[in-house]
Amino acid sequence: MKTLYLLVPLAPLAGALIAGFFGRMVGRAGAHWITILSVAISFCGSVAVLLDVMHGNSFNGDAYTWLTSGSASFHVGFLIDRLSAMMMVVVTFVSLMVHIYTIGYMAEDPGYQRFFSYISLFTFSMLMLVMSNNFLQLFFGWEAVGLVSYLLIGFWYTRPTAIFANMKAFLVNRVGDFGFLLGIALILAHTGTLQYDGVFKAFESPELVARTIEILPGSGWLLISVICICLFIGAMGKSAQFPLHVWLPDSMEGPTPISALIHAATMVTAGIFMVSRMSPLFELSQTALSVILVIGAITAFFMALIAVVQYDIKRVVAYSTLSQLGYMTMALGASAYSAAMFHLMTHAFFKAVLFLGAGSVIIAMHHEQDMRKMGGLRKYLPVTYGVVLIGAWANAGLPPFAGFFSKDTIIEALHASATPGAGIAYLAALFGVFIGALYSFRLVFYAFHGKERFGHDAHSHDDGHGETTYAGHGHDAHEGQGHAPHESPLVVTVPLVMLAIPSVGAGWLIGSIVYGDFFGTAVVVSETHPWIEEMGREFPGVWGMMLHALGSLPFWFAIAGVTTAWYAYLYRPEFSGRMRERLSGLVSVLENKYGFDDFNQRFLAGGALRIGGLFSSVGDRILIDGLMVNGTARLVGWFSGLVRGFQSGYVYHYAFSMIIGVFVILSWWLYRINYPS
């Protein structure tokens, strides 16, 4: 099996290298066939690994010793259990669908081979992360997905907005990664190892769990709390949690396929996976769990609100991702790791559907992303409409689709949890259901229902209620575009349908994954946090859960959200304009994203530029260039000019100098004789 474990990550790496270095040689078709075949091999291998671990087999071993320093050794190795096997299948399946979809979406792009190379490299990086058995390899995968995301977000590097977005993502993630690296350094310093099993075993010692460190003079912090909070700061960056969430919406500057890959199954889920993998550590720190709960609650609720005012179809889905990641984070804080991973899995499917469905709309609309220029698309894009409706239904948390089971379980776990902060998190999750249903079906009604508002010859005007409408409907609009919108080719729609299937049915696995012993010892939950275990004893089954939902608050909040969206954006569209006008202050705050981008740009980025300018003008120009370099040169020049005055070439000048020298020496000698020290 060790050969199979190596094959799973190395196949996408081989495909990435061939497409990247030999792209011109193999051609466009060769690049996509090679990378798709490599990811398909990886997916089949992942399925085989999952089936193997389901039969009770697991693996924890090293494949290569990278470095030995004193008593510490660093390895490349694999930890294969049900947690990693599930992630391997999710990552490779979504990646395979994205690879196939890319053939249609990027068909005319000049960077075709380069894009396939990047997304295969992204898959390799994520697999190395989830399969690792030590913190060194985890950090390698962690940084690799960050690097490739930088390349992919800025794929269209001639666009200034894309360059700004990829630099923003890179720098914000460096902030999180600094905390992550501090946590790893503390682990190595206090345990002497970076192997997961060694670290977990070391923290079974009560002495180590009770150990404190002094962060500020006179303040003692529990070592385990500091480590867990530092690790979670890394997760805040990768999984885009408040306040390190600002990079993710701007990542929409990259091509749509990579938006689906980053937001659904790879980079943003890395933090959720890492905390779940580190559950033996996080269960030892109530402080860290409370921090996670509060951060997740803020992200889930406040990011969902921003999605309601967005008109860019991709950004609506992007802010939806932020909110759903907040749900997963809250589940982690409530020690409901199995529920968090279950929502990670279901979310990967339905969010990929929403992103790729949005991409299909963008193709049909000639790369138009503004929903105000859409409308009535369901009759032109029946397959895309069907799958986007499934994705929206699942995202809203309505039965019987996958999102209902995973989201409802998280809300119940928050309600049952006694961890400090769980009450706030429960309210945020509950109201987040209403907002999630509202923005999900706002997208559906705006883009696929109502009047047709597209066409190059359409003339925009304000309807007097704060909404922009577009004249030129029906046949005239189609003539302005050149032709009516039409359904995307099979290479685009087939991956959409394949992803829609688990978006519908994956939730029915809740009994075994969340309440059963699916994860085994891969996830550890303290006896003091028995919420999921208690919920499992009362679990009524899939049908019972759906029936029970009819009398639960989350279900009716979701129904209220869908109804509000229907009334405001379909039945009475002028209502949304009036509400937008009346709530203009709140709308302005949401459109400005709570001012985080302005604050970061003015104070953090601007402050760094001002400090850099100060160092440049004072430190570099005045101190280094002016005083040290040029000042030294001027001093040498002055002294040389002084000495040059004595080097005249006249003998009597030299004789006079010698006399002066003899006089000075004799005076000093006589002084020392008469006044000895």
Side-chain angles (χ1 to χ4, degrees):
M1 291 299 290
K2 195 172 181 178
T3 303
L4 180 60
Y5 301 150
L6 286 168
L7 179 66
V8 170
L10 293 183
L13 176 62
L17 294 175
I18 294 170
F21 289 110
F22 306 103
R24 291 185 180 179
M25 186 183 301
V26 299
R28 294 165 74 88
H32 72 235
W33 279 115
I34 288 168
T35 51
I36 289 172
L37 179 62
S38 67
V39 175
I41 291 170
S42 183
F43 170 64
C44 293
S46 298
V47 172
V49 169
L50 179 61
L51 293 174
D52 185 57
V53 298
M54 290 296 290
H55 285 90
N57 299 316
S58 61
F59 177 82
N60 183 11
D62 299 327
Y64 175 72
T65 300
W66 179 65
L67 173 70
T68 300
S69 177
S71 60
S73 59
F74 306 100
H75 308 277
V76 175
F78 301 124
L79 173 55
I80 307 298
D81 54 19
R82 294 187 177 188
L83 178 62
S84 55
M86 187 190 85
M87 282 295 296
M88 289 161 63
V89 171
V90 171
V91 168
T92 53
F93 176 68
V94 175
S95 178
L96 179 59
M97 295 301 105
V98 169
H99 273 71
I100 297 170
Y101 176 95
T102 299
I103 297 174
Y105 192 87
M106 303 291 288
E108 299 175 3
D109 197 280
Y112 192 79
Q113 294 98 314
R114 178 165 56 94
F115 190 82
F116 274 99
S117 175
Y118 286 171
I119 57 177
S120 288
L121 188 61
F122 206 172
T123 307
F124 158 75
S125 303
M126 189 66 186
L127 287 170
M128 289 298 287
L129 187 156
V130 301
M131 296 173 69
S132 63
N133 71 343
N134 62 85
F135 283 96
L136 178 69
Q137 186 176 329
L138 175 69
F139 190 71
F140 163 77
W142 198 266
E143 293 302 301
V145 293
L147 170 63
V148 185
S149 71
Y150 169 83
L151 297 173
L152 284 163
I153 295 168
F155 180 79
W156 288 318
Y157 53 83
T158 55
R159 297 183 182 180
T161 53
I163 297 304
F164 180 84
N166 73 348
M167 183 59 70
K168 184 177 182 179
F170 193 78
L171 293 177
V172 171
N173 272 277
R174 296 293 71 74
V175 175
D177 293 351
F178 179 69
F180 189 56
L181 194 57
L182 284 177
I184 294 174
L186 283 171
I187 287 171
L188 180 61
H190 289 272
T191 66
T193 181
L194 292 179
Q195 298 293 118
Y196 292 162
D197 53 359
V199 172
F200 298 156
K201 187 175 180 59
F203 275 97
E204 291 175 0
S205 164
E207 183 275 328
L208 189 58
V209 172
R211 185 178 299 177
T212 60
I213 58 174
E214 206 174 82
I215 296 180
L216 296 173
S219 66
W221 285 61
L222 278 175
L223 171 66
I224 186 62
S225 293
V226 175
I227 288 174
C228 289
I229 291 173
C230 285
L231 293 178
F232 180 66
I233 290 172
M236 287 166 61
K238 279 290 178 288
S239 293
Q241 295 297 288
F242 167 88
L244 301 181
H245 65 279
V246 293
W247 67 269
L248 190 140
D250 286 4
S251 69
M252 295 299 98
E253 291 295 332
T256 298
I258 194 52
S259 298
L261 197 57
I262 289 177
H263 291 224
T266 53
M267 182 169 169
V268 297
T269 61
I272 307 300
F273 167 80
M274 183 273 293
V275 175
S276 297
R277 174 62 79 195
M278 298 301 124
S279 58
L281 301 182
F282 281 88
E283 284 298 287
L284 299 173
S285 174
Q286 187 87 315
T287 301
L289 292 176
S290 292
V291 169
I292 294 171
L293 267 173
V294 173
I295 294 295
I298 293 171
T299 308
F301 179 74
F302 289 101
M303 296 306 111
L305 285 174
I306 299 179
V308 178
V309 301
Q310 296 295 311
Y311 288 113
D312 185 315
I313 191 170
K314 285 175 63 177
R315 286 184 180 266
V316 173
V317 186
Y319 280 103
S320 167
T321 300
L322 282 170
S323 181
Q324 298 304 317
L325 287 167
Y327 275 89
M328 299 176 212
T329 303
M330 287 189 287
L332 297 174
S335 300
Y337 304 101
S338 58
M341 291 303 299
F342 186 55
H343 194 51
L344 183 155
M345 180 186 73
T346 61
H347 174 265
F349 299 133
F350 67 73
K351 191 50 58 72
V353 164
L354 287 173
F355 267 116
L356 298 184
S360 181
V361 171
I362 292 168
I363 293 172
M365 296 300 298
H366 303 278
H367 300 283
E368 178 59 66
Q369 297 181 199
D370 192 334
M371 295 190 299
R372 292 169 293 187
K373 300 180 183 179
M374 298 177 188
L377 291 177
R378 62 175 176 166
K379 66 181 181 181
Y380 303 106
L381 312 174
V383 177
T384 300
Y385 171 68
V387 296
V388 169
L389 184 60
I390 289 172
W393 196 278
N395 192 75
L398 287 165
F401 294 168
F404 158 73
F405 296 100
S406 55
K407 188 183 285 187
D408 228 47
T409 303
I410 291 174
I411 295 171
E412 286 187 37
L414 293 171
H415 186 60
S417 175
T419 302
I424 296 173
Y426 173 70
L427 292 175
L430 199 58
F431 288 109
V433 171
F434 170 78
I435 302 168
L438 174 61
Y439 67 65
S440 296
F441 280 85
R442 173 180 179 266
L443 183 154
V444 172
F445 296 143
Y446 235 126
F448 294 97
H449 291 262
K451 295 180 180 180
E452 298 170 10
R453 302 181 297 273
F454 44 82
H456 289 303
D457 61 344
H459 302 288
S460 65
H461 66 275
D462 193 270
D463 64 4
H465 298 293
E467 296 285 343
T468 302
T469 59
Y470 291 80
H473 306 306
H475 183 68
D476 293 336
H478 303 160
E479 287 182 345
Q481 275 190 322
H483 57 79
H486 57 85
E487 187 59 87
S488 300
L490 286 176
V491 76
V492 170
T493 56
V494 168
L496 280 170
V497 173
M498 294 297 293
L499 286 162
I501 293 170
S503 298
V504 174
W508 293 57
L509 300 174
I510 183 172
S512 59
I513 293 180
V514 177
Y515 299 122
D517 193 32
F518 178 83
F519 291 114
T521 58
V523 170
V524 175
V525 179
S526 169
E527 294 179 355
T528 59
H529 305 143
W531 337 122
I532 288 292
E533 184 180 348
E534 291 174 355
M535 289 165 57
R537 286 196 290 267
E538 300 175 2
F539 178 59
V542 171
W543 290 104
M545 185 174 178
M546 286 191 284
L547 288 172
H548 178 265
L550 298 177
S552 67
L553 281 175
F555 174 79
W556 291 107
F557 270 64
I559 292 295
V562 175
T563 305
T564 303
W566 169 79
Y567 182 83
Y569 299 102
L570 192 58
Y571 182 66
R572 290 286 180 86
E574 70 277 3
F575 174 77
S576 62
R578 289 200 302 268
M579 291 303 297
R580 195 178 183 92
E581 194 173 67
R582 291 176 183 175
L583 301 174
S584 58
L586 176 61
V587 170
S588 178
V589 170
L590 295 176
E591 287 181 335
N592 200 36
K593 308 163 195 172
Y594 306 110
F596 279 103
D597 284 341
D598 290 342
F599 176 82
N600 292 337
Q601 197 63 31
R602 291 181 184 179
F603 292 95
L604 299 183
L609 286 172
R610 286 190 289 272
I611 292 172
L614 181 65
F615 281 131
S616 174
S617 59
V618 177
D620 190 28
R621 295 177 187 175
I622 296 177
L623 292 179
I624 297 176
D625 285 346
L627 185 61
M628 297 174 66
V629 177
N630 295 329
T632 303
R634 284 193 292 269
L635 179 63
V636 171
W638 173 82
F639 185 73
S640 300
L642 183 65
V643 173
R644 195 163 51 245
F646 293 97
Q647 302 295 321
S648 63
Y650 294 106
V651 174
Y652 62 86
H653 282 175
Y654 296 136
F656 181 73
S657 297
M658 292 173 64
I659 292 170
I660 294 297
V662 169
F663 175 76
V664 170
I665 292 171
L666 287 174
S667 298
W668 176 251
W669 181 64
L670 289 172
Y671 175 82
R672 295 287 293 172
I673 291 175
N674 293 321
Y675 301 100
S677 57

